[in-house]
Amino acid sequence: MDKLMDKMQEAAMYITSRIGSDPVHIGMVLGSGLGGLADELQDAVAISYKDIPYFPVSTVFGHKGKLVVGTLEGKRVMCMQGRFHYYEGYGMDQVVFPIQVMHALGINNLLVTNAAGGVNTSYKPGDLMLIVDHIKLIADSPMRGPNYDSLGERFFDMTNAYDKKLSALAREEAKRLGITLQEGVYMFFAGPSYETPAEIRAARILGSDAVGMSTVPEALAASHMRMKVLGISCITNMAAGILDQPLNHTEVMETGDRVKEAFTLLVRNVTKQWPV
Ligand SMILES: O=P(O)(O)O[C@H]1O[C@H](CO)[C@@H](O)[C@H]1O
């Protein structure tokens, strides 16, 4: 066994020792301001990242740094209440390590969520957006380096990175519940500065509808391992230069808090119908 596989196994074994060996159906990465969903799990077991072998620790306000495992709408789910970002100084390999550990635990379904800036001017803060595709032009791939053939192929497809059936499910549930669900392309920026107005104009010309500093590395790692991915952004603010006002993380967190009911309702109902 190579080193990454050893680390994944050791982290997975520790988690299993805390949560037992019943299967976990869906992994969920909860973005800035969206972590409250983990508090809704029944029979929850919470594990601090600092206790899990080889896990990084969360350094961002609003990212609690806990793995919470429990039941949501009849499915056993594992929530990351807080994720890792490249701008925190972690390598892309560390950013995606939890996703690889989920895979080692037998999880093949992943919901990635985030707070994002709206680039599409028809969006408004508080909208939810189904991620249909992404753009990443900068920073390393998390899969840079030796390929782990037991995880996935060296050259892997990203045509269907965001699962079409799960996207259709999210679309249907949002419609049924009367929740506005925009659809768009998420573009990765490395942060930690928010983008400049010129970068946002460029992002729009390139075809993006929302921007953020996360999610894409996780979606890449999950696609490498052929996990099924559903992505939902919360448009917490209009991206730089659209409104004549500066951006800040407090606004991001506040908008996340404001939409938590709609977000939770949508995720609950998607989880209920999620084929596992
Ligand atoms: O993508 P999440 O983790 O939701 O957080 C978003 O919010 C933070 C900036 O306010 C950045 O970390 C950005 O990526």
Side-chain angles (χ1 to χ4, degrees), residues 31-32 63 83 85 87 114-115 194 212-214 249 252:
S32 295
H63 289 254
R83 60 147 58 85
H85 305 82
Y87 63 75
N114 59 57
Y194 292 110
M213 310 168 195
S214 71
H249 191 55
V252 168

Side-chain angles (χ1 to χ4, degrees), residues 76-132:
R76 198 151 186 251
V77 305
M78 175 174 287
C79 289
M80 284 183 70
Q81 211 174 25
R83 60 147 58 85
F84 308 113
H85 305 82
Y86 185 64
Y87 63 75
E88 292 175 80
Y90 294 124
M92 284 295 195
D93 52 342
Q94 291 172 291
V95 169
V96 303
F97 182 66
I99 310 301
Q100 293 168 327
V101 172
M102 284 181 182
H103 182 75
L105 287 162
I107 301 175
N108 286 313
N109 294 283
L110 184 69
L111 170 69
V112 276
T113 70
N114 59 57
V119 173
N120 185 323
T121 51
S122 72
Y123 294 177
K124 52 182 193 322
D127 280 352
L128 298 177
M129 183 192 89
L130 178 68
I131 303 174
V132 293

Side-chain angles (χ1 to χ4, degrees), residues 29-34 60-63 82-85 87-88 113-117 186 188-195 211-215 218 232 234 236-237 247-253:
V29 185
L30 303 179
S32 295
L34 307 172
V60 184
F61 176 67
H63 289 254
R83 60 147 58 85
F84 308 113
H85 305 82
Y87 63 75
E88 292 175 80
T113 70
N114 59 57
Y186 175 94
F188 173 83
F189 278 83
S193 61
Y194 292 110
E195 301 72 28
V211 289
M213 310 168 195
S214 71
T215 302
E218 296 145 0
I232 299 176
C234 170
T236 51
N237 55 283
L247 272 48
N248 64 78
H249 191 55
T250 307
E251 182 191 0
V252 168
M253 295 294 296

Side-chain angles (χ1 to χ4, degrees), residues 55 107-108 210 235 267 275:
F55 251 57
I107 301 175
N108 286 313
I235 306 298
V267 172

